[in-house]
Amino acid sequence: MPCPEDKLRFAVQFLQIVAMKFDRAFLKSLPNVLVLEHLDGVRRPRTIIELARETGYSGLPTEDPHQLAIWFYQGANKGSLPEYLRGFAHTIAVMQTEEALERAAYEQAEDLSEEGVVYFETRFAPIFHTRQGLTHQQVVAAVLKGLERGRRDFGIHSGLIICAMRNMNVSLDMAELAVDFRQRGVVGLDLAGEEGGYPPKKHVEAFHFIQRENFNITIHAGEGYGKESIWQAIQYCGAHRIGHATRLIDDITVADGKVVKLGDLAQYVLDKRIPLEICLLSNVHTGATPSLAEHPFKLLYEQKFRVMLNTDNRLMSNTTLTREFEVAAETFDLSLEDFEKLTINAMKSAFLPYDERCRFIYSVLKPGYRDTRERMKRNAEVSI
């Protein structure tokens, strides 16, 4: 029977383990959920090079995989959303056939399964993948085929979000396309692209159509523009989730690092539990926030906003979901309990039927974190 001193020592050691710096192997062992990642922003450099050779695309800056990865990262990390988006010209150029699109989705599923992700939502704009004659329907079907193969081979579940583009007058077509494929794996509609000069309210017809169809809406807002973009996304377009929402902090009064008062918009977002798809490293690279330390994530999390962590574009930001959790732990002193809350927030916000979300939470996520705590406890006992 352990003496009181042993029990106290065990308790101290257990707390130390819980509060330890989480290494990548540990973070990969946790079940994760991801809801904001762009299909054309996560390509493997080697695959891009192979597809460029196969299709005769000669625009790549280099054919060395390592150097190409560096080129994408350096080009994206300039503190500007328009600059960040330039690299997509190359990834999109090699995604113009059904085989390339299917491969992109399949490799995305494989890569995320290795990160411990159990469910993810990927998004892309079909309008960019018709240069060689594919129809929008063929483009979407090819991606869904790749995701389905990924589910069969790696056991990872997924949903596809169709993106309308702010600077194009095709949003209603994309909305109709999304609804047409809702029974085959498409789970919602997004509005993406540069925010400045292209407010969400210009696309209300498409989003009113989605609302009438009782379908799902997420909109990029508050990344490259202010809180007005977030307000329009919600109040004009009926967004159920907001991508990034970094500038929501403009509607929050902060003094000495503490929230003093929420504005009407921030209070509404909090009260209505509107999910915020946070992407830490991407937000630094696009200039949405000056630095990780200045990112409003921690303030939003502490105020009980429904936030979650995402990657946005793994290739451009040289990141993974593991890396996003790693930098969040280092910057904001997060614990294992925080990781679990963020992951459950993501699953609560997923564009899945309610019973499926509950199944993931109570049959996959919570048991996974419970097993992790028990494993940590056993390791602590062995060390005594």
Side-chain angles (χ1 to χ4, degrees):
M1 182 69 66
C3 66
E5 290 78 8
D6 285 338
K7 290 183 178 180
L8 177 61
R9 184 155 51 92
F10 165 74
V12 171
Q13 288 181 329
F14 181 64
L15 289 173
Q16 289 173 336
I17 290 175
V18 172
M20 70 180 178
K21 179 180 178 180
F22 302 103
D23 62 33
R24 294 190 180 184
F26 176 83
L27 292 173
K28 282 186 176 183
S29 72
L30 301 174
N32 282 314
V33 176
L34 176 63
V35 298
L36 200 177
E37 184 166 274
H38 293 267
L39 180 66
D40 43 6
V42 299
R43 304 309 311 274
R44 298 172 181 172
R46 188 174 299 280
T47 297
I48 295 172
I49 293 167
E50 290 176 3
L51 290 174
R53 289 171 179 166
E54 291 174 10
T55 61
Y57 177 68
S58 59
L60 295 182
T62 174
E63 291 194 353
D64 177 271
H66 178 67
Q67 291 302 318
L68 185 60
I70 293 174
W71 182 89
F72 275 110
Y73 175 68
Q74 290 178 338
N77 191 7
K78 293 182 177 179
S80 164
L81 181 57
E83 288 294 325
Y84 187 92
L85 297 175
R86 288 184 185 277
F88 286 89
H90 298 297
T91 58
I92 290 172
V94 299
M95 294 170 65
Q96 299 298 324
T97 67
E98 290 173 287
E99 294 77 14
L101 288 161
E102 180 183 343
R103 179 176 177 179
Y106 181 79
E107 290 182 350
Q108 182 182 26
E110 181 178 20
D111 292 343
L112 291 178
S113 69
E114 294 174 356
E115 292 289 316
V117 175
V118 297
Y119 174 79
F120 72 98
E121 291 173 2
T122 185
R123 59 187 76 185
F124 82 130
I127 190 69
F128 291 140
H129 303 276
T130 59
R131 297 173 186 171
Q132 294 183 15
L134 293 180
T135 65
H136 292 150
Q137 289 74 17
Q138 288 173 314
V139 168
V140 174
V143 172
L144 290 172
K145 185 177 180 181
L147 294 177
E148 175 58 24
R149 280 210 300 129
R151 185 193 66 78
R152 292 198 308 268
D153 291 354
F154 311 116
I156 183 170
H157 296 258
S158 59
L160 178 62
I161 296 172
I162 301 298
C163 291
M165 300 306 297
R166 285 172 139 66
N167 63 333
M168 296 182 179
N169 189 27
V170 295
S171 53
L172 182 57
D173 292 338
M174 294 301 102
E176 293 172 346
L177 182 68
V179 171
D180 286 346
F181 277 87
R182 71 186 301 174
Q183 300 302 324
R184 296 176 58 183
V186 170
V187 297
L189 180 70
D190 178 31
L191 184 64
E194 185 180 349
E195 285 185 78
Y198 305 102
K201 68 180 182 180
K202 289 188 176 181
H203 301 269
V204 291
E205 186 180 8
F207 289 102
H208 286 176
F209 171 79
I210 290 290
Q211 288 175 305
R212 290 194 299 272
E213 293 293 330
N214 302 306
F215 208 27
N216 302 309
I217 299 170
T218 180
I219 294 180
H220 282 64
E223 179 189 18
Y225 202 70
K227 63 180 182 180
E228 298 82 5
S229 182
I230 301 171
W231 176 75
Q232 285 191 23
I234 296 170
Q235 304 304 352
Y236 274 82
C237 302
H240 303 117
R241 294 192 325 229
I242 298 294
H244 301 287
T246 317
R247 299 321 312 166
L248 187 63
I249 194 66
D250 296 345
D251 200 49
I252 300 174
T253 303
V254 180
D256 298 324
K258 300 293 182 182
V259 172
V260 176
K261 186 179 185 300
L262 299 180
D264 290 341
L265 174 62
Q267 190 69 57
Y268 184 89
V269 171
L270 176 64
D271 293 346
K272 300 301 181 184
R273 314 305 299 140
I274 297 174
L276 308 178
E277 305 163 350
I278 302 296
C279 305
L280 294 174
L281 291 174
S282 169
N283 287 162
V284 175
H285 299 156
T286 62
T289 185
S291 67
L292 280 173
E294 296 170 90
H295 198 289
F297 162 77
K298 187 64 179 293
L299 289 173
L300 295 170
Y301 179 60
E302 290 176 342
Q303 292 299 307
K304 310 301 181 185
F305 284 84
R306 185 178 285 181
V307 295
M308 63 218 67
L309 294 179
N310 301 276
T311 55
D312 199 17
N313 299 287
R314 280 183 280 120
L315 173 62
M316 280 61 177
S317 287
N318 187 28
T319 191
T320 61
L321 191 55
T322 299
R323 178 61 178 155
E324 296 291 329
F325 273 82
E326 187 178 48
V327 298
E330 293 171 354
T331 308
F332 306 112
D333 194 28
L334 300 187
S335 67
L336 185 64
E337 181 183 17
D338 295 321
F339 293 160
E340 183 175 16
K341 287 180 180 178
L342 292 167
T343 303
I344 290 176
N345 278 351
M347 181 48 67
K348 284 181 178 179
S349 309
F351 289 157
L352 282 174
Y354 174 73
D355 57 344
E356 291 186 40
R357 283 179 278 148
C358 288
R359 181 180 65 81
F360 270 106
I361 290 171
Y362 293 105
S363 299
V364 180
L365 302 180
K366 283 184 174 290
Y369 274 87
R370 183 185 63 239
D371 292 346
T372 297
R373 290 189 180 90
E374 291 175 355
R375 187 169 66 250
M376 293 168 67
K377 183 179 178 180
R378 288 194 299 271
N379 291 340
E381 289 172 340
V382 168
S383 69
I384 293 179

